Amino acid sequence: MKLNTLLYLAATLLFGSANLSSCKKDDGGPLKSETGALQIEFENRVGNQALVLNSQTYENANGDDFKVSMFKYYVSNLTFIKDDGTEVLVPESYFLIDAADPATRTPRVDSVPVGDYKAIKLTIGVDSLRNFAGAQDGALDPAKGMFWTWNSGYIFVKFEGSSSKSTAAANKLTFHIGGAKAPHNTIRTVTQTFSSPLRIRKDSEPELHFIVDAGALFRGATTVNFAELNFTMGGAASVLVADNYASRMFRLDHVHN
Amino acid sequence: MFRNWKVAGIIASVIILGYSCEKDRSSGPEGETVAFVRPSNFPEPVYQFEGNKLTAEGFELGRKLFYDQALSLDNSTSCGSCHQQFAAFANLDHSVSHGIDNCLGTRNAPPLFNMVWQSEFMWDGGVHHIEFSSLNALTNPCEMGMDLDSLTARLSRTSPYPHLFQKAFGSAGITSQRVLKALTQFMGAMVSANSKYDKYVRREPGGEFTQAEQAGYQLFKAKCASCHTEPLFSDFSYRSNGLDLNPLDRGRDSITNSSADRGTFRVPSLRNIEVSRPYMHDGRFFFLEDVLEHYNSGVKAHRNLDPSLRNGERRGIPLSKTDQSNIIAFLKTLTDHEFLRAKKFSEP
């Protein structure tokens, strides 16, 4: 009887643990599809020049001089697009790239289903759902300094520096772009098409090389004049800056298959 | 005997199943589960502890963190410093909060209860998730002044926190996410629903209203309840009640950047209002009598003044002295003495 009881409990526990695994995220079908990995490199620049923090002086489209002391941004929701238009979202793909931390510039992405892809789509920032979810971990940990505590939500792109034209104290430039709610929604997506298909295979690791232009914040639909705009933390001015960088900040330079 | 074991087995598997969808748990913690029970006169809560299952270990960890001064930069200030249980977790007699280095903030520390029914927090609603409701106080240089990396590093080398986090979350490690979730378990479990008013509406013993309370309740329903909606006693909207002609504090506008929100603030709950003075976003009124008289005769013609406080040229809510004292008698039925004395929420 005692043995029977133990067996019964053991069976119940096994049944329990079987259910445990059933709650894991489904990866697309009854048959587990094969996946591969890739490497992405984000090369930070200002226009055609390499981004060098603090020491290098650049010029914006308005002819204003500026230096960069901080450039951080979120890239999220990587989505690979197949020839037939099918979109494959890489789950939990949130990356924080920090120009001051070289290790963050080359994230590795795994769990991409094996196949050929014609384009990649990414979000500059953090999707609305995750902005309004509770406390997060990893790249989205508020300890990363990319979260507004007084007005909950992520800072998507954080640019700080200085310009002799800035009228702010100590000639500072402060561009903290974020906001996930209309009318000041600054979530932007970028799609880049590959010149030849990206091949994801089980045993190779292709590399995507993006050039990321910090200068893109200040030109485009709105030419930013640092005497007039040198500080934004969300709101209407942040929308202007996001509209500027939406189509110009990320450029796919090449793919190594 | 076998039958009982069978039942035990089923219960055990149900407990395991209950934990099996929890993302941040590699194994379920031991011990009993702290139950959250929705009061029968309350709606469904906004926050249902999804991804943050309420457990005895998580709740106790949150309670310890809430009362620990080590959560502030100079080890001087805990959450409990400005959120005192006897004041329904508001800051009694402090107009504005008093942080590290004797820094005075700009707004009155709100009471803490029934937070799981709230979808936005703070006077301006800038915080939109309960799990972030403690984040600003923790990091604001004028409140607790901590940065999150220093906080998790400090806790990681302070016994018995590593052990308590392990017990609460099923694996080793102290992250800001776990700190915020544990605090949320403690604060989210703070339900205040056993006032005389609650007993009155639930027809329970101890819920008999006096004549003044009954008269006050009728007046309240006619003149106050359009904003201070039962049973939570707020509709959680943002309104101007005409405190100033030219408010110094932008209020909701500091979040929305909209001039229509200039000088508007969240309608506060009136539960436990008797014990959580002073009142208003800047704590300017120390007595309920002052508040009622403001509505009767003090409402200013602020350009965003709420329409419900404007009737042609007449502003405010006409209230005789008797009306005022009856309403105050009713407001005192909203005091939940059980909540104010509950041991489980007190400093461990």
Side-chain angles (χ1 to χ4, degrees), chain A residues 101-172:
Chain A
D101 181 358
T104 65
R105 296 205 300 254
T106 51
R108 187 173 179 275
V109 183
D110 51 19
S111 305
V112 183
V114 162
D116 291 355
Y117 298 95
K118 67 168 183 183
I120 180 173
K121 187 166 84 176
L122 53 85
T123 297
I124 311 175
V126 177
D127 51 285
S128 169
L129 195 68
R130 205 53 77 92
N131 262 276
F132 298 113
Q136 304 292 314
D137 213 350
L140 297 175
D141 187 332
K144 303 281 183 193
M146 295 290 279
F147 190 84
W148 281 312
T149 60
W150 49 277
N151 189 358
S152 304
Y154 286 93
I155 299 167
F156 301 154
V157 176
K158 196 171 192 176
F159 174 103
E160 292 183 8
S162 60
S163 166
S164 69
K165 299 291 194 295
S166 168
T167 50
N171 300 119
K172 273 191 183 163

Side-chain angles (χ1 to χ4, degrees), chain B residues 263-295:
Chain B
T264 67
F265 296 90
R266 184 167 51 80
V267 173
S269 172
L270 300 180
R271 286 180 172 273
N272 300 301
I273 198 77
E274 177 188 10
V275 298
S276 55
R277 69 171 186 270
Y279 310 113
M280 305 296 145
H281 67 276
D282 53 5
R284 68 176 65 190
F285 295 136
F286 274 69
F287 300 99
L288 287 172
E289 288 76 4
D290 298 339
V291 176
L292 273 292
E293 191 50 46
H294 165 74
Y295 284 111

